[in-house]
């Protein structure tokens, strides 16, 4: 948790922050997984994969981040849709959690599908269960829940009951295949994109993606888009570069 009372008060599901661990550190975009207005704190989930993220994960209570900027991006459209399937892969469950909570509080039936390679990589399951009518766990190796991909879990729900909306957040390839699945059934689908980002204000252009044939910036036009209109192949190529 990070003490940031103004951000905690203003944040909505879908918002993110840019974090710098020290004066020479890089800018890291992190979705706000939760916020507590009373204590003035926000919750960030950080995967230690590089020097800066490892430094953040090694911080002790009472230490300071050099900079936390936000809330950034456009908030999620939270309203009553009906039955919503929320699919999250790996650390994508962190930004999915406040959306699940918001959709449930808006009166939706929420079915959450959590996926990862192994049991150890499933995160925030207890918190997701608190705001979901049903939780389906999918692991690649079958070490927990059902063996298979997130698309298997999403499609199993679609085949048994009407679904009004699908929300998907996770690795780019995962979101692509969830989107291809929902296209078959013509179900509206939202995705939260995780492109490379630098300034977070639309100035650098690093996070650009093609949506419905037009260039969009994830940091200011997103991070959420109509998944059926996103050029995932182009986005994946840019991430690899």
């Amino acid at each position: 948790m990070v003490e940031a009372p103004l951000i905690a008060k203003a944040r909505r599901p879908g918002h993110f922050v840019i974090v710098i661990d020290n004066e020479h550190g890089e800018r890291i975009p992190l979705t706000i997984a939760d916020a507590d207005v009373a204590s003035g704190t926000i919750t960030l989930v950080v995967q230690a994969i590089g020097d800066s993220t490892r430094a953040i994960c090694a911080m002790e209570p009472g230490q300071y981040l050099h900079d936390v900027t936000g809330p950034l991006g456009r908030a999620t459209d939270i309203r009553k849709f009906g039955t919503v399937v929320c699919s999250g892969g790996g650390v994508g469950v962190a930004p999915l959690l406040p959306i699940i909570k918001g959709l449930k509080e808006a009166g939706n039936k929420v079915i959450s599908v959590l996926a990862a390679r192994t049991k150890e990589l499933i995160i925030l399951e207890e918190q997701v269960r608190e705001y979901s009518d049903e939780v389906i766990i999918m692991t690649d190796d079958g070490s927990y829940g059902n063996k298979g991909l997130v698309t298997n879990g999403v499609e199993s729900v679609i085949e048994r009951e009407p679904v009004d909306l699908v929300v998907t957040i996770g690795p780019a390839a995962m979101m692509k295949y969830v989107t291809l699945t929902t296209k078959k059934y013509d179900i509206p689908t939202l995705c939260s994109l995780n492109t490379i980002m630098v300034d977070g204000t639309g100035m650098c252009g690093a996070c650009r993606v093609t949506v419905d044939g037009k260039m969009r910036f994830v940091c200011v036009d997103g991070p959420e888009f109509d998944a059926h209109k996103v050029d995932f192949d182009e986005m994946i190529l840019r991430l690899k570069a």
Side-chain angles (χ1 to χ4, degrees), residues 5-211:
L6 295 179
I7 297 176
K9 184 177 181 180
R11 88 73 156 110
R12 298 291 181 270
H15 281 152
F16 67 95
V17 292
I18 295 282
V19 174
I20 303 176
D21 65 313
N22 63 69
E23 61 180 327
H24 302 295
E26 60 188 329
R27 301 167 66 87
I28 303 172
L30 297 169
T31 304
I32 305 170
D34 199 5
D36 187 328
V37 177
S39 64
T41 59
I42 58 174
T43 300
L44 306 176
V45 176
V46 185
Q47 185 177 23
I49 56 175
D51 290 343
S52 295
T53 49
R54 283 195 289 266
I56 292 172
C57 290
M59 295 181 74
E60 298 291 337
Q63 289 186 284
Y64 291 85
L65 290 165
H66 183 269
D67 194 23
V68 181
T69 304
L72 301 171
R74 294 179 180 270
T76 306
D77 178 17
I78 299 292
R79 52 190 167 93
K80 188 169 183 179
F81 295 94
T83 298
V84 183
V85 175
C86 294
S87 59
V91 293
V93 177
L96 191 64
L97 177 59
I99 296 173
I100 291 171
K101 180 179 178 181
L103 288 169
K104 183 59 182 173
E105 292 175 344
N108 294 282
K109 177 181 179 181
V110 178
I111 301 171
S112 299
V113 181
L114 308 184
R117 294 193 303 275
T118 65
K119 178 181 179 179
E120 290 72 25
L121 297 176
I122 296 290
I123 66 170
L124 301 173
E125 179 186 350
E126 182 179 342
Q127 293 90 328
V128 168
R129 288 190 182 279
E130 183 178 354
Y131 299 103
S132 302
D133 294 274
E134 179 185 355
V135 176
I136 298 171
I137 305 292
M138 305 296 302
T139 51
D140 292 359
D141 62 0
S143 57
Y144 188 44
N146 304 301
K147 184 176 182 179
L149 303 175
V150 66
T151 48
N152 301 128
V154 170
E155 194 159 24
S156 70
V157 178
I158 294 172
E159 289 178 342
R160 78 179 192 212
E161 64 182 282
V163 173
D164 300 289
L165 177 70
V166 171
V167 180
T168 181
I169 307 179
M174 185 211 92
M175 293 189 288
K176 172 185 173 179
Y177 286 104
V178 169
T179 299
L180 290 174
T181 300
T182 60
K183 272 186 176 179
K184 294 191 301 182
Y185 300 93
D186 195 28
I187 298 173
T189 304
L190 291 177
C191 62
S192 181
L193 302 185
N194 52 359
T195 53
I196 300 300
M197 198 176 295
V198 181
D199 68 282
T201 62
M203 296 177 65
C204 73
C207 68
R208 64 186 181 275
V209 291
T210 300
V211 181

